[in-house]
């Protein structure tokens, strides 16, 4: 199979254990192919952790899960120097933390204090960790997928803006439809029965990492026209100069998106086009992922909160006002 068929196979396998969340599966794959980190938000019990585990289980990659808690220390994430006694006296040896894996699930990241959250920054941005003056690099395939509960939930800490901006996309998971929930009940019941009877079927061979690297190389060759480059830049610029588009937009946005938003639109747009079998990016690709790219990069004003406007409402208005190429 070529890389496109292998990624579609991965998507199909994930869909067998994640019911009614096809958009979330697409976003997880886009993050993997675009070599970026994802923030997945949703109420407890909406299969955030299950979705990430489904990807890791079907991909030939080392998986690590970090449960963030209020008493977690930075060294619990990055690793630490351990003294080891030797015949010659003794030496310090670096003991890698759970961050050293291919797919890292940072579960409920907003339940840990800012110091622990900051321990992820260098790894997410630079793909390396520095401990006691020594730099340790990550594997070529490395992605952090962090889940969080809405900050209104008790016992959570809002993520710092600097860390939020380092996530390629902010994916939201909502309640499933009633028909999908019926399928969820049947799926979990079947899994429980298979476990109890020890009749679990043999899992197919995992998708090799080479499929991801080949897909990334092909995505790098996706054609992006000058008009599409300008369209992406115009969308980002609209978050910074909203007064040029409408008075309402100017009242809703306090701080616009950083240049990382432009880069994220480009990467995710090309990955979206590739997944849909095209060798070029069109406006539909950009509009499909715009909410996930902008959702965590726009700071809303008090007026917007007073009018019960969400970031998605603001992004929808930007997409309506900015002219298509």
């Amino acid at each position: 199979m070529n890389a496109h068929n292998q990624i579609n196979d991965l998507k199909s396998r994930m869909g067998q254990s994640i019911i009614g969340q096809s958009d979330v599966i697409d976003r997880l794959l886009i993050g993997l192919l675009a070599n970026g980190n994802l923030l997945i938000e949703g109420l407890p019990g909406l299969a955030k952790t299950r979705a990430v585990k489904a990807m890791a289980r079907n991909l030939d990659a080392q998986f690590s899960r970090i449960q963030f808690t209020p008493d977690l220390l930075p060294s619990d994430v990055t690793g630490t120097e351990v003294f080891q006694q030797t015949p010659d006296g003794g030496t310090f040896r670096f003991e890698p933390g759970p961050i050293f894996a291919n797919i890292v699930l940072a579960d409920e990241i907003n339940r840990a204090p800012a110091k622990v959250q900051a321990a992820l920054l260098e790894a997410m941005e630079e793909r390396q960790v520095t401990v006691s003056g020594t730099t340790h690099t990550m594997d070529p395939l490395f992605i952090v997928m962090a889940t969080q509960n809405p900050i209104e939930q008790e016992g959570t800490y809002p993520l710092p803006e600097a860390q939020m901006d380092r996530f390629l996309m902010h994916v939201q998971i909502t309640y499933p439809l009633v028909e999908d929930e019926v399928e969820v009940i049947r799926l979990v019941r079947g899994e429980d029965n298979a476990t109890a009877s020890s009749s679990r079927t043999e899992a197919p061979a995992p998708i090799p990492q080479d499929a991801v690297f080949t897909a990334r190389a092909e995505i790098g060759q996706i054609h992006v026209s000058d008009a599409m480059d300008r369209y992406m830049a115009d969308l980002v610029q609209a978050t910074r100069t909203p007064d040029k588009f409408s008075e309402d937009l100017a009242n809703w946005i306090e701080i616009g998106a950083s240049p990382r938003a432009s880069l994220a639109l480009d990467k995710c747009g090309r990955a979206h086009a590739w997944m849909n079998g095209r060798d070029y990016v069109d406006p539909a690709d950009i509009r499909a992922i715009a909410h996930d790219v902008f959702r965590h990069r726009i700071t809303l004003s008090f007026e917007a909160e007073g009018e019960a406007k969400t970031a998605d409402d603001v992004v929808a208005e930007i997409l309506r006002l900015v002219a298509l190429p």
Side-chain angles (χ1 to χ4, degrees), residues 249 287 291 310-321:
L249 206 58
R287 297 171 71 88
H291 287 81
T310 65
D312 284 344
D313 295 330
V314 175
V315 175
E317 184 69 6
I318 290 173
L319 293 175
R320 186 183 71 83
L321 294 174

Side-chain angles (χ1 to χ4, degrees), residues 159-173:
L159 293 176
E161 289 80 359
Q163 185 168 344
M164 290 283 285
D165 198 30
R166 283 170 166 79
F167 286 103
L168 183 73
M169 290 190 293
H170 179 188
V171 182
Q172 286 190 336
I173 299 182

Side-chain angles (χ1 to χ4, degrees), residues 10 14 17-18 21 24-25 27-29 32 37-41 46-59 61-66 102-108 143-148 171 173:
L10 176 59
M14 294 174 63
S17 59
I18 306 297
Q21 301 286 2
V24 174
I25 295 174
R27 297 306 182 269
L28 293 181
L29 291 174
L32 177 68
N37 306 294
L38 299 186
L39 179 63
I40 308 169
E41 181 175 346
L46 294 185
K48 301 184 296 296
T49 301
R50 184 184 177 96
V52 179
K53 285 185 174 180
M55 170 181 285
R57 184 173 60 252
N58 292 287
L59 190 64
Q62 182 183 359
F63 174 72
S64 177
R65 178 178 180 269
I66 309 172
N102 300 124
I103 298 177
V104 179
L105 170 60
D107 214 355
E108 296 186 307
I143 179 172
V144 173
M145 295 188 176
T147 70
Q148 74 167 9
V171 182
I173 299 182

Side-chain angles (χ1 to χ4, degrees), residues 62-206:
Q62 182 183 359
F63 174 72
S64 177
R65 178 178 180 269
I66 309 172
Q67 179 63 54
F68 279 67
T69 56
D71 60 348
L72 199 69
L73 299 175
S75 59
D76 295 331
V77 175
T78 61
T80 186
E81 295 281 344
V82 177
F83 182 78
Q84 185 177 26
Q85 187 68 44
T86 65
D88 298 330
T91 183
F92 282 94
R93 172 178 55 86
F94 177 66
E95 187 68 29
I99 193 67
F100 288 90
N102 300 124
I103 298 177
V104 179
L105 170 60
D107 214 355
E108 296 186 307
I109 187 175
N110 60 335
R111 290 200 178 277
K115 181 180 290 187
V116 180
Q117 295 169 5
L120 288 174
L121 288 178
E122 184 183 14
M124 290 170 54
E125 190 73 7
E126 306 295 337
R127 306 302 170 95
Q128 64 183 28
V129 167
T130 302
V131 177
S132 299
T134 302
T135 299
H136 307 272
T137 59
M138 305 297 182
D139 289 339
L141 179 61
F142 172 75
I143 179 172
V144 173
M145 295 188 176
T147 70
Q148 74 167 9
N149 298 322
I151 61 173
E152 292 80 8
Q153 296 290 317
E154 184 178 357
T156 60
Y157 302 79
L159 293 176
E161 289 80 359
Q163 185 168 344
M164 290 283 285
D165 198 30
R166 283 170 166 79
F167 286 103
L168 183 73
M169 290 190 293
H170 179 188
V171 182
Q172 286 190 336
I173 299 182
T174 57
Y175 287 120
L177 299 175
V178 63
E179 295 84 1
D180 293 329
E181 191 139 7
V182 172
E183 293 301 319
V184 171
I185 295 172
R186 293 170 178 169
L187 172 66
V188 175
R189 180 193 301 146
E191 292 176 345
D192 291 344
N193 291 338
T195 300
S197 61
S198 300
S199 61
R200 185 176 301 177
T201 59
E202 184 177 352

Side-chain angles (χ1 to χ4, degrees), residues 1-9 207 211 214-215 218 274:
M1 288 192 295
N2 58 29
H4 196 271
N5 291 336
Q6 288 176 310
I7 297 301
N8 281 337
D9 187 21
I207 305 298
T214 301
E218 294 178 1
W274 182 87

